Amino acid sequence: MQRITWGIIGPGNIAARFADQLAASATGTLSAVASRSLERARSFADRFSTGQAPVRAFGSYTELFADPGIDAVYIAVPHTEHVRLVVEAAEAGKHIVCEKPLSVDKAGALTAIDAAKRGGVYLAEAYMYRFHPQTERLVDLVRTGAIGQVQHIEASFAFAADAPPEHRLMNPDLAGGGILDVGGYTVSMARLIAGAANGEPFAEPTHITAAGTIGPTGVDEWATASLTFASGITAHLTAGIRVQDDNRVVVSGSAGRIVLAQPWLPNPDADTIIEVHRTDSATNHIAIPAAKQYALQADAVAAFHGTGQAPQMNWADSLGTVEAMDRWRAAIGLRYPFEPATTAAAANQA
Ligand SMILES: NC(=O)c1ccc[n+]([C@@H]2O[C@H](COP(=O)([O-])OP(=O)(O)OC[C@H]3O[C@@H](n4cnc5c(N)ncnc54)[C@H](OP(=O)(O)O)[C@@H]3O)[C@@H](O)[C@H]2O)c1
């Protein structure tokens, strides 16, 4: 497979995790990092440079986009900057993995996808769990009827962050809150399973009702959503940045349940276990060998850059997730200061 040289945009928390795993990828090499501060870029570059593979540092994102030695960029900045930087990267001809959510809303996601189409480049939203073999196995179990007909899905992703009001998680100007930060995982998982149950890549909910608490921060500190799909499958989702949940996925069917104790961040260095509890037999513990999902996400660029999209996380799939999040936010009355007053109302009618 073709080797891909990578540039990182925004040397924050997740960028470091990506850089760490990229070293274990089959196809990727970290070539450069860009920050709004040359000093921060240099410090990150020093941390991830090796004798054989030095990492170059740029003091602006635009300089990195202009570098002909970079094949692909990993955009790892706060949500509100994603679309603008995807457009800039696509216009520079770079393949793109953009952190989730691809956009704060569906309109932005359409702009990002349109830019990738026009630029003829790969674009994937970084729901990295989609690239882990555990997720593929789960889809397979659902498709092959391991628990009979799927009836209900429970998915949670919520953590109690201790962050100041200006931090991206708490800050409405940076589209903070649980729905956009972690709710998208639960939405995308429910859509994936509801689709697989009907032999489709994903399914869209026909109804969404929700509850949530918008705290003094002005963002959703925790929220729940109930989804109904045309097939009759229901889902209950929990997301939060100020409450700890058990962060798992349970799929209930007519003949049993599947439990994923580590759906989003499986241990990269140990087997992950899928539990299949059938009503008519003993529990089956399926061991999924250790895998580095951020590295696999990077390797998908080498495999699929010719078609622009990866089957694990394609554009239509991203659009469905962001649209459901628009509806979830609208249902709890969460509108960011930079959004026009009509946005939430419009999404509510979808
Ligand atoms: N897939 C995952 O597992 C995962 C996990 C965590 C986060 N994420 C996603 O990754 C993105 C970044 O999250 P993070 O936790 O890595 O954030 P972070 O630690 O705050 O880092 C974000 C970086 O973005 C840059 N940046 C550009 N504009 C900024 C602004 N207006 N305010 C603050 N920083 C700005 C900063 O770098 P410079 O100023 O140096 O350029 C900063 O280091 C989010 O969209 C989040 O949803 C994904």
Side-chain angles (χ1 to χ4, degrees):
M1 227 184 296
Q2 184 189 329
R3 289 207 66 83
I4 302 283
T5 53
W6 284 87
I8 285 179
I9 303 293
N13 280 329
I14 191 58
R17 206 183 309 165
F18 177 80
D20 199 36
Q21 287 207 2
L22 190 60
S25 88
T27 59
T29 306
L30 181 58
S31 172
V33 59
S35 162
R36 296 175 298 174
S37 132
L38 184 56
E39 200 186 343
R40 283 200 294 275
R42 282 199 177 126
S43 148
F44 189 96
D46 288 349
R47 185 172 158 199
F48 291 99
S49 286
T50 62
Q52 301 85 346
V55 177
R56 293 167 301 139
F58 292 104
S60 80
Y61 304 153
T62 302
E63 282 174 81
L64 189 149
F65 291 140
D67 189 293
I70 304 286
D71 301 319
V73 293
Y74 175 67
I75 295 177
V77 298
H79 315 336
T80 43
E81 296 298 296
H82 290 175
V83 174
R84 178 179 76 78
L85 293 171
V86 165
V87 171
E88 196 176 337
E91 285 175 353
K94 305 303 183 196
H95 300 301
I96 304 158
V97 172
C98 178
E99 262 311 334
K100 34 56 59 175
L102 177 58
S103 164
V104 167
D105 60 16
K106 188 177 177 188
L110 285 165
T111 301
I113 289 164
D114 190 49
K117 280 186 197 159
R118 280 188 284 112
V121 297
Y122 176 98
L123 171 65
E125 184 178 27
Y127 281 115
M128 70 297 171
Y129 83 90
R130 289 293 191 90
F131 296 85
H132 195 284
Q134 171 177 242
T135 305
E136 190 181 346
R137 189 63 185 273
L138 169 66
V139 167
D140 209 46
L141 288 166
V142 166
R143 280 217 173 109
T144 54
I147 53 163
Q149 282 207 314
V150 172
Q151 296 161 329
H152 182 68
I153 302 152
E154 293 273 339
S156 57
F157 199 167
F159 57 95
D162 180 17
E166 64 277 11
H167 188 275
R168 69 166 190 84
L169 286 173
M170 307 290 172
N171 185 346
D173 292 327
L174 293 178
I179 295 174
L180 288 191
D181 196 61
V182 280
Y185 287 93
T186 65
V187 168
S188 66
M189 180 65 97
R191 294 175 51 260
L192 180 71
I193 295 168
N198 283 322
E200 304 286 341
F202 45 80
E204 304 306 346
T206 50
H207 291 92
I208 299 180
T209 57
T213 294
I214 299 171
T217 49
V219 302
D220 56 308
E221 297 186 356
W222 57 90
T224 62
S226 293
L227 277 51
T228 309
F229 294 88
S231 56
I233 293 173
T234 51
H236 186 256
L237 315 179
T238 308
I241 51 156
R242 276 239 160 113
V243 64
Q244 184 67 46
D245 209 320
D246 53 7
N247 300 342
R248 62 183 199 152
V249 170
V250 180
V251 187
S252 301
S254 55
R257 290 185 314 139
I258 302 173
V259 179
L260 266 57
Q262 296 178 25
W264 322 120
L265 293 163
N267 185 336
D269 300 312
D271 287 1
T272 305
I273 305 297
I274 299 181
E275 295 167 31
V276 182
H277 304 266
R278 278 190 63 95
T279 41
D280 59 359
S281 58
T283 298
N284 186 10
H285 292 91
I286 302 172
I288 308 296
K292 293 187 164 44
Q293 56 189 357
Y294 298 91
L296 295 171
Q297 175 176 257
D299 286 334
V301 180
F304 298 109
H305 66 81
T307 50
Q309 314 178 52
Q312 295 94 330
M313 198 56 247
N314 69 24
W315 299 340
D317 203 347
S318 286
L319 287 173
T321 292
V322 75
E323 181 175 335
M325 288 195 293
D326 282 349
R327 293 166 67 189
W328 188 353
R329 285 201 297 124
I332 67 160
L334 176 63
R335 181 165 62 83
Y336 295 116
F338 53 83
E339 292 183 301
T342 50
T343 307
N348 220 358
Q349 286 160 13

